[in-house]
Amino acid sequence: MKFLNRTIFFLFFILSVSSLQAQKKSKGVHSSSKKEKGLIVHKFDPADTSSIVRFPKIDFKNINVISDYYKPAKLAEISRLKKNKQWDKFMAELYDYVSNFGIGNFIYDIDKIWQLARVSESKGELELAKDLYRIIIKHYRGDLQKALNHYDSIAYFDKVLYASIEDYYRLIEKRKQIDTLKPPKDILLDMGEGVNSPYDDYGLTISGLNDDIIFFTSSRNQDTSKIANDIKGAKENEDIYISKKDHDMDEWTPAIPFKHLNSKFNEGSPCMSRDGSKIVFARCSSPDGLGDCDLYITYKAEDSTWSEPKNLGEEINSYAWDSHPAFSRGGDTLYFASSRRGGFGGSDIYYSVLDEKNKWGKAKNIGPVINTRDSEVSPFPHPKFNVLYFSSNGQLLNFGEFDIYKTYSEDGKWSEPYNVGPLVNGEGSEFYFTIDAESKWLFYAKSVELNNKNLDLQSFPLPMDAKPNNTIRFSGRIIEPTTGEVFKGVVTIIDLDYGDEVAPRQTFEDGTFEFDLIDKRNYLVIVEGDNFFKIEEMFFLDGDMDLELKATNVSKVVTFKSIDFAKGSSKLEAKMENNLHLIIDFLVSHEDFNLRITGHTDSDGDADKNLALSQERAQVIKDYIISYGGLDNTRVEAIGMGNTAPIVENELTEEDKHKNRRVEFKLFRPGFE
């Protein structure tokens, strides 16, 4: 099966509120203090922190305290300091003022964040400046180009330069031919007829002790009554279904309705606590609802029956759309998405924490690092790691519409969201996803027809960028060892132990690159470019690693130590093949290049015989390259020079003769030599 199509279309995401949508609404992550229950705290040692985990250098402590912050006296003092060019005090006072912002300030006072970003940049506080420019880019509602230009000028090496996904597909095809490497896993697997139906199936959550139970939303229960047919869209009836994994057959059992939760209204977006004791789901247009869609909870009794679903009340629900619930690992924090007023954008992610009396606390906004002026939805706390996944169309790096991101927590803060990469995110929208406890599989919905019709549930192996524990930095540089010349290219990593897929990346202008990988594994790094031979090197990752990869420039005449024929022989030996394949790979990947092979001998023996022998050696190499690479014969020349072009004119030693006895390779573009 072809690897994950980058155009993963399931754009059933609807931006307008509808009473017929328990799940299909855009909008809904958690920034609490350490004292609040449910926060999974993991301390990051700076020495272990990779580029994935960047905690902002400013904290907005008033987000859930006040709607906006306004202190005229402080503003007057800040203005005076600026006028007098007391830049250190100006920066300190402005930082204090901005850190007190409420949500409203991100709409009306974004200019103050801009001022702080500029003075931070001018004072050399580049990490703070980067954080502030990121905030501006996420929340400013005007022309962003100026902020983007400033950010790009100081954050070039913070970017993730993903290579073209076609490079990945090409490598995938090649890996199928290499017996020594693990081939790619099967990707994008339909969950089967027992789960999927001819109608939309989406909004999956996975639970059970062995992740062997799934709950999902389906519109298969169509209302075919005359009244429904007369009302456009009325026959769409969302219900919750359940399926269990048959481990003997390695398949999911036929889905059945979760009758206790379903009603004549629309239900969807179910989530179960890890201990299996409670389920929260969305119900729309119910008479006891506070808004369009509300969150309800049901508890499991000792006899395995479920209590009557109860509206979670005004502490959590609002007059608007509330959906996409998800429990923290301990089940005492509930994340969800809401389109209520007073947020940062179209929909925000909120959270509520259980108090000592087992009551859900007032919902809080997760804050401006994660929520943006656009929409955030589908929060999903990882069941084992302190990582929160969510979907957004307002973050800095975006491949399509809504993409999946991840963020790490520490001391009540969330790290800068990280796009999980093009092997998950495509040109469409990705949300309603779930990851199993072992971080092996990702589940979400995908349209198998045009116009986002017939959504089906799919699963595929979780790639490296989406893993919760790929927090070890592997970096390197491509360099010519004798001249110090650096090269640009495409770098691909292959996980040799577990086969986790890693999206390829481009190098920076200085020939450097970075990946975030999982520690204590064996990897293969492959580097390809237009002006050097492909590099392949295996390594074992044991903590942060920086590797210098030595490149050979193809624009020079190249000789290989392995291309050393036995005296008087023109027979190819196995030791020569690796370097010959460097040539073959380059010619296959660069169709505008030709190759000239020149054979040379030492001065021993008859000159005419030496000329013939050198021609034979060059021809044998040409025949091998043409045959193995499937190349046109005209792209490779074979020339024998005998002993007419020695490196050492007067051969006095065997070493002198060895230097002269060589085969040279010259890659060139016809007409550009």
Side-chain angles (χ1 to χ4, degrees):
M1 182 177 294
K2 190 173 181 179
F3 188 74
L4 174 63
N5 191 322
R6 76 188 301 253
T7 56
I8 298 179
F9 290 111
F10 49 99
L11 296 174
F12 53 95
F13 194 88
I14 308 299
L15 293 176
S16 60
V17 177
S18 169
S19 62
L20 294 178
Q21 296 173 317
Q23 271 206 80
K24 295 184 182 178
K25 179 71 174 63
S26 76
K27 327 299 188 222
V29 200
H30 151 112
S31 178
S32 66
S33 69
K34 288 181 65 178
K35 295 180 180 179
E36 290 175 333
K37 299 164 65 178
L39 178 62
I40 305 170
V41 176
H42 174 84
K43 287 288 187 181
F44 285 93
D45 187 312
D48 298 330
T49 300
S50 81
S51 56
I52 277 184
V53 188
R54 292 192 178 104
F55 290 97
K57 292 185 174 296
I58 187 167
D59 185 25
F60 300 98
K61 50 184 174 290
N62 276 337
I63 291 303
N64 291 295
V65 179
I66 58 177
S67 59
D68 59 77
Y69 181 75
Y70 178 62
K71 298 293 182 182
K74 284 184 174 290
L75 289 174
E77 174 64 8
I78 290 169
S79 180
R80 184 189 68 80
L81 292 169
K82 181 180 180 181
K83 183 177 181 179
N84 293 334
K85 298 182 180 181
Q86 294 176 267
W87 299 120
D88 288 340
K89 290 184 178 180
F90 170 75
M91 180 176 169
E93 290 296 323
L94 186 56
Y95 178 95
D96 179 72
Y97 193 91
V98 168
S99 65
N100 280 286
F101 273 11
I103 293 177
N105 295 99
F106 288 82
I107 299 174
Y108 307 115
D109 291 325
I110 200 77
D111 63 299
K112 295 178 178 59
I113 301 180
W114 178 264
Q115 291 181 53
L116 183 58
R118 293 299 303 274
V119 71
S120 299
E121 182 181 355
S122 67
K123 298 293 290 182
E125 298 287 344
L126 296 185
E127 294 306 313
L128 174 59
K130 291 176 191 177
D131 291 332
L132 294 167
Y133 284 129
R134 292 184 189 112
I135 290 291
I136 293 168
I137 293 168
K138 293 176 190 178
H139 294 278
Y140 184 53
R141 297 168 188 262
D143 183 5
L144 288 173
Q145 195 56 52
K146 189 175 181 181
L148 286 168
N149 291 341
H150 276 277
Y151 179 72
D152 287 345
S153 69
I154 63 174
Y156 174 73
F157 290 101
D158 293 338
K159 295 181 178 180
V160 180
L161 301 181
Y162 287 109
S164 167
I165 204 70
E166 284 72 23
D167 289 319
Y168 188 81
Y169 294 152
R170 180 171 51 80
L171 182 64
I172 290 294
E173 292 303 314
K174 182 173 181 181
R175 282 175 60 186
K176 294 177 181 177
Q177 312 300 323
I178 304 176
D179 293 335
T180 56
L181 299 179
K182 291 184 178 180
K185 301 173 183 176
D186 289 334
I187 301 298
L188 204 60
L189 304 177
D190 188 291
M191 296 189 70
E193 295 180 358
V195 173
N196 289 315
S197 72
Y199 301 97
D200 286 344
D201 303 291
Y202 47 91
L204 175 148
T205 187
I206 191 166
S207 191
L209 296 177
N210 299 307
D211 284 328
D212 55 3
I213 302 174
I214 58 171
F215 303 88
F216 65 96
T217 311
S218 178
S219 60
R220 66 188 66 184
N221 183 17
Q222 300 282 299
D223 185 347
T224 59
S225 67
K226 184 179 184 304
I227 294 177
N229 287 326
D230 289 341
I231 302 174
K232 185 177 180 180
K235 63 181 180 180
E236 287 282 337
N237 185 17
E238 294 177 303
D239 281 339
I240 296 172
Y241 286 75
I242 185 171
S243 175
K244 296 183 179 181
K245 186 68 176 285
D246 184 335
H247 293 285
D248 293 332
M249 300 296 293
D250 193 29
E251 63 184 24
W252 294 95
T253 61
I256 59 174
F258 201 144
K259 293 183 177 180
H260 189 72
L261 302 186
N262 296 329
S263 71
K264 63 181 180 180
F265 307 107
N266 285 274
E267 287 81 27
S269 200
C271 71
M272 175 183 277
S273 60
R274 293 301 298 178
D275 63 4
S277 66
K278 50 185 174 280
I279 293 175
V280 170
F281 64 98
R283 176 176 285 170
C284 298
S285 304
S286 176
D288 64 341
L290 302 177
D292 297 289
C293 293
D294 281 11
L295 296 179
Y296 290 73
I297 191 167
T298 178
Y299 298 91
K300 191 174 184 178
E302 292 183 0
D303 61 358
S304 296
T305 60
W306 291 91
S307 66
E308 184 68 22
K310 182 180 179 181
N311 190 299
L312 279 171
E314 60 185 11
E315 293 297 296
I316 291 180
N317 291 313
S318 69
Y319 68 92
W321 173 89
D322 301 288
S323 189
H324 295 202
F327 283 110
S328 65
R329 177 171 60 176
D332 50 14
T333 300
L334 181 68
Y335 303 87
F336 63 98
S338 178
S339 63
R340 65 189 66 188
R341 284 194 300 267
F344 290 96
S347 65
D348 282 1
I349 294 177
Y350 291 79
Y351 67 96
S352 174
V353 180
L354 277 176
D355 63 20
E356 291 75 11
K357 298 180 180 179
N358 209 34
K359 300 291 185 182
W360 291 102
K362 186 175 181 58
K364 295 182 179 181
N365 191 295
I366 201 166
V369 174
I370 292 173
N371 289 325
T372 69
R373 67 183 179 280
D374 292 314
S375 293
E376 282 66 47
V377 294
S378 300
F380 176 78
H382 192 279
K384 287 190 176 181
F385 294 88
N386 66 315
V387 179
L388 182 70
Y389 296 85
F390 66 98
S391 292
S392 172
N393 65 347
Q395 300 294 328
L396 273 67
L397 173 61
N398 188 280
F399 292 98
E401 297 195 17
F402 281 81
D403 279 3
I404 298 174
Y405 298 81
K406 63 179 179 180
T407 177
Y408 295 74
S409 65
E410 179 184 298
D411 292 338
K413 294 183 179 181
W414 291 101
S415 67
E416 178 65 24
Y418 178 91
N419 189 301
V420 301
L423 301 187
V424 172
N425 295 316
E427 294 175 348
S429 289
E430 289 73 39
F431 34 73
Y432 299 144
F433 58 92
T434 294
I435 300 169
D436 71 309
E438 299 304 320
S439 304
K440 293 181 178 179
W441 294 91
L442 171 65
F443 303 86
Y444 61 10
K446 178 184 181 294
S447 176
V448 296
E449 297 179 6
L450 296 177
N451 302 319
N452 310 305
K453 294 180 179 179
N454 190 16
L455 294 163
D456 278 350
L457 293 170
Q458 311 277 352
S459 64
F460 61 92
L462 193 67
M464 183 65 69
D465 281 313
K467 295 281 184 178
N469 56 334
N470 66 323
T471 57
I472 302 300
R473 176 177 296 172
F474 170 68
S475 58
R477 191 182 191 197
I478 310 168
I479 189 169
E480 210 289 325
T482 56
T483 65
E485 180 183 5
V486 297
F487 299 92
K488 291 179 62 179
V490 174
V491 185
T492 303
I493 303 289
I494 296 175
D495 180 340
L496 297 175
D497 292 339
Y498 292 86
D500 291 332
E501 310 300 335
V502 186
R505 299 185 183 182
Q506 299 175 9
T507 61
F508 293 101
E509 293 289 340
D510 63 352
T512 61
F513 59 86
E514 286 185 359
F515 285 82
D516 298 285
L517 304 175
I518 297 174
D519 205 16
K520 303 296 189 294
R521 289 190 183 183
N522 289 290
Y523 297 92
L524 173 68
V525 57
I526 302 173
V527 189
E528 297 177 289
D530 291 334
N531 55 352
F532 61 92
F533 289 117
K534 186 177 70 174
I535 302 169
E536 294 186 1
E537 190 164 330
M538 293 177 62
F539 65 94
F540 178 74
L541 188 64
D542 187 10
D544 288 354
M545 176 183 291
D546 187 72
L547 194 64
E548 187 173 273
L549 298 174
K550 298 177 181 179
T552 302
N553 194 328
V554 300
S555 65
K556 299 178 180 179
V557 175
V558 179
T559 60
F560 296 105
K561 291 182 179 179
S562 70
I563 312 298
D564 187 13
F565 289 91
K567 193 172 183 66
S569 171
S570 61
K571 181 182 179 181
L572 286 178
E573 298 182 12
K575 66 179 182 179
M576 304 180 186
E577 293 182 1
N578 284 342
N579 283 327
L580 291 180
H581 279 280
L582 289 178
I583 301 285
I584 293 169
D585 289 344
F586 189 88
L587 287 170
V588 170
S589 300
H590 300 78
E591 296 181 356
D592 57 333
F593 273 83
N594 284 0
L595 171 67
R596 182 178 298 120
I597 306 167
T598 308
H600 300 267
T601 68
D602 57 35
S603 61
D604 284 353
D606 181 76
D608 290 338
K609 289 183 178 179
N610 284 342
L611 184 62
L613 179 61
S614 65
Q615 181 65 47
E616 289 176 13
R617 289 172 173 173
Q619 187 64 43
V620 165
I621 292 174
K622 172 182 175 177
D623 292 343
Y624 181 88
I625 290 174
I626 290 292
S627 174
Y628 203 97
L631 303 173
D632 188 288
N633 187 66
T634 60
R635 292 185 62 194
V636 183
E637 304 173 31
I639 301 172
M641 298 291 291
N643 60 357
T644 62
I647 294 175
V648 181
E649 290 288 345
N650 298 309
E651 299 171 353
L652 300 177
T653 65
E654 282 300 318
E655 179 62 24
D656 292 340
K657 295 179 181 180
H658 186 268
K659 289 179 180 178
N660 287 337
R661 193 170 58 246
R662 69 199 186 277
V663 177
E664 296 177 337
F665 299 85
K666 172 66 175 179
L667 286 159
F668 63 95
R669 288 186 174 92
F672 292 91
E673 286 190 276

